[in-house]
Structure formats: structure tokens, C-alpha cells
């Protein structure tokens, strides 16, 4: 009879940060530096970088999201902005439009198992980045403050469920002072426009 009064029919993206990292690597290594040819890149991806260690190193060392680097953070921002606008124009059920909703639940692992090697240097069938605002695993090398600064550059307001996961060693959260630092990190992220952060 028309469904619920408020229909949340949303569209979930997977691997957006992986795409941003890949586009940054292609832009830097192929188009700006010319240190990798298009054919070398395609051959390396097809081989899952086996026997292409130098190519793999070049791609892994390209700028990565999560390090407060505008070079790649701007690509992630523009990618999410493009996706949000596109999704908002798509027809959904009951005469509604889709809502852009950016969280991965646990799909990043199962989807990653179906995705080949990426220009970011990610190997085939490995998990995708584990949250819509989270850096790809192992790519954030400048600490949690840099991570929240990268995520804070996104326009999160018009997107539902922008999820940022951060992992800490338990040893750095032992004292009351440590907990105060964690609270300060959370508050700072919200000051940057963040909307959803969780910790393991």
C-alpha cells in the first residue's frame, strides 16, 4: 500500500578509498612522472604483480589516503562528491530516489575476494578498505591525527553512515590520560565534520 512513510532506500559503495588510492597512483606514476607505462601497469595487474616487484613498489609508494596528503585526499573527496550526486538522481522503489549511504558493514572482505589487483598496489582478492572513510589496510603511516584530517576533508553531511574505523594497540589506552587523548581525537574529528568513528 505504498510502503513505509519514511523509506530509506540506500545505495552502498564498496572500495571507494581503494579507487581513490588507485587513481592517485595512476595520476602520479603514469601521467605525471611517466615512470610506469600504461602497458606495464596492465601487465602488472594481470599478473597480480608476480615477477613485477619494482612496479609493485612504485605503486605502493604512491600517495595514499589517510596521511593528510591533499594529493590523494582531494581525489577521494571528488570521487565521493560525484558518487553522491549520481546516486541521489537514481530512481528507487516507491517513487523515491536512492540515498547515498557510505558504510561497508563487512562487505569489504567478501567483495575484495572478487576484485583483482589494483593500481594502488593492493593484491588480488585481498580485503578492500574496511569503512567508507577508513584508509586501506596498512596505508596510513602518519598516525591517527593524519587519518582524521584526511577523513575530515570529505563532505560527509549529505551522506548517511560515513564510517571511519581506527585500530589501536591496547597498550596505548591504559591510563586515564590516554582515555582523555582518545576523547580529544573523537571531538576533533567531529569538529572536522566527521560523523561516525569507531575503534578496535
Amino acid at each position: 500500500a505504498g510502503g513505509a512513510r519514511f523509506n530509506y532506500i540506500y545505495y552502498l559503495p564498496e572500495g571507494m578509498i581503494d579507487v581513490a588510492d588507485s587513481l592517485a597512483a595512476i595520476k602520479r606514476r603514469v601521467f605525471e612522472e611517466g615512470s610506469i607505462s600504461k602497458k606495464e601497469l596492465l601487465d602488472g595487474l594481470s599478473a597480480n604483480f608476480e615477477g613485477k616487484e619494482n612496479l609493485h613498489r612504485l605503486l605502493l609508494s604512491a600517495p595514499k589516503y589517510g596521511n593528510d596528503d591533499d594529493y590523494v585526499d582531494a581525489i577521494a573527496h571528488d570521487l565521493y562528491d560525484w558518487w553522491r550526486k549520481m546516486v541521489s538522481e537514481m530512481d528507487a522503489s516507491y517513487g523515491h530516489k536512492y540515498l547515498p549511504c557510505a558504510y561497508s558493514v563487512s562487505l569489504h572482505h567478501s567483495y575484495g575476494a572478487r576484485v583483482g589487483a589494483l593500481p594502488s598496489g593492493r593484491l588480488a582478492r585481498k580485503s578492500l578498505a574496511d569503512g567508507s572513510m577508513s584508509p586501506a589496510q596498512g596505508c596510513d603511516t602518519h598516525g591517527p591525527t593524519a587519518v582524521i584530517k584526511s577523513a575530515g576533508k570529505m563532505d560527509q553531511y549529505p551522506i548517511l553512515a560515513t564510517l571511519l574505523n581506527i585500530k589501536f594497540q591496547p597498550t596505548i589506552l591504559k591510563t586515564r590520560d590516554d582515555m582523555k587523548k582518545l576523547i580529544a581525537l573523537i571531538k576533533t574529528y567531529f569538529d572536522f565534520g566527521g560523523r561516525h568513528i569507531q575503534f578496535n
Side-chain angles (χ1 to χ4, degrees):
R5 179 178 298 177
F6 301 106
N7 283 290
Y8 293 94
I9 304 167
Y10 37 79
Y11 194 104
L12 302 176
E14 294 296 327
M16 295 286 273
I17 297 303
D18 300 279
V19 172
D21 284 346
S22 293
L23 291 174
I26 293 168
K27 182 181 177 186
R28 172 65 56 88
R29 300 295 186 230
V30 176
F31 291 101
E32 291 177 353
E33 295 176 352
S35 55
I36 298 172
S37 72
K38 296 173 190 175
K39 184 179 185 319
E40 285 175 316
L41 177 60
L42 292 173
D43 290 347
L45 294 172
S46 296
N48 196 28
F49 304 115
E50 288 180 29
K52 315 274 185 188
E53 287 75 20
N54 187 51
L55 170 71
H56 194 212
R57 275 192 297 276
L58 278 171
L59 293 171
L60 286 172
S61 64
K64 297 289 187 280
Y65 169 85
N67 297 297
D68 189 24
D69 184 340
D70 288 337
Y71 186 90
V72 63
D73 294 348
I75 293 172
H77 174 278
D78 291 349
L79 184 64
Y80 263 113
D81 199 45
W82 165 81
W83 168 80
R84 176 188 57 79
K85 290 172 183 169
M86 178 194 64
V87 167
S88 300
E89 294 170 1
M90 293 171 57
D91 292 329
S93 307
Y94 308 115
H96 293 274
K97 297 291 184 186
Y98 276 106
L99 295 172
C101 185
Y103 68 96
S104 66
V105 192
S106 59
L107 296 173
H108 55 278
H109 182 69
S110 57
Y111 283 16
R114 295 173 176 85
V115 175
L118 294 177
S120 62
R122 175 197 155 275
L123 296 173
R125 294 172 290 285
K126 296 292 182 184
S127 181
L128 299 171
D130 68 341
S132 54
M133 299 290 132
S134 305
Q137 290 82 344
C139 291
D140 52 317
T141 57
H142 289 69
T145 304
V147 171
I148 66 168
K149 287 176 80 176
S150 286
K153 294 173 191 174
M154 306 288 192
D155 185 8
Q156 296 186 31
Y157 184 76
I159 303 173
L160 296 175
T162 50
L163 168 60
L164 172 60
N165 287 320
I166 294 185
K167 297 172 183 68
F168 288 123
Q169 293 291 336
T171 53
I172 70 164
L173 293 171
K174 283 188 168 180
T175 69
R176 187 171 182 80
D177 233 26
D178 296 336
M179 295 300 173
K180 285 180 182 177
K181 290 174 186 172
L182 180 63
I183 291 167
L185 184 76
I186 295 167
K187 287 180 175 177
T188 303
Y189 182 53
F190 291 157
D191 288 343
F192 287 161
R195 300 180 68 197
H196 182 179
I197 186 169
Q198 61 188 30
F199 302 92
N200 285 311

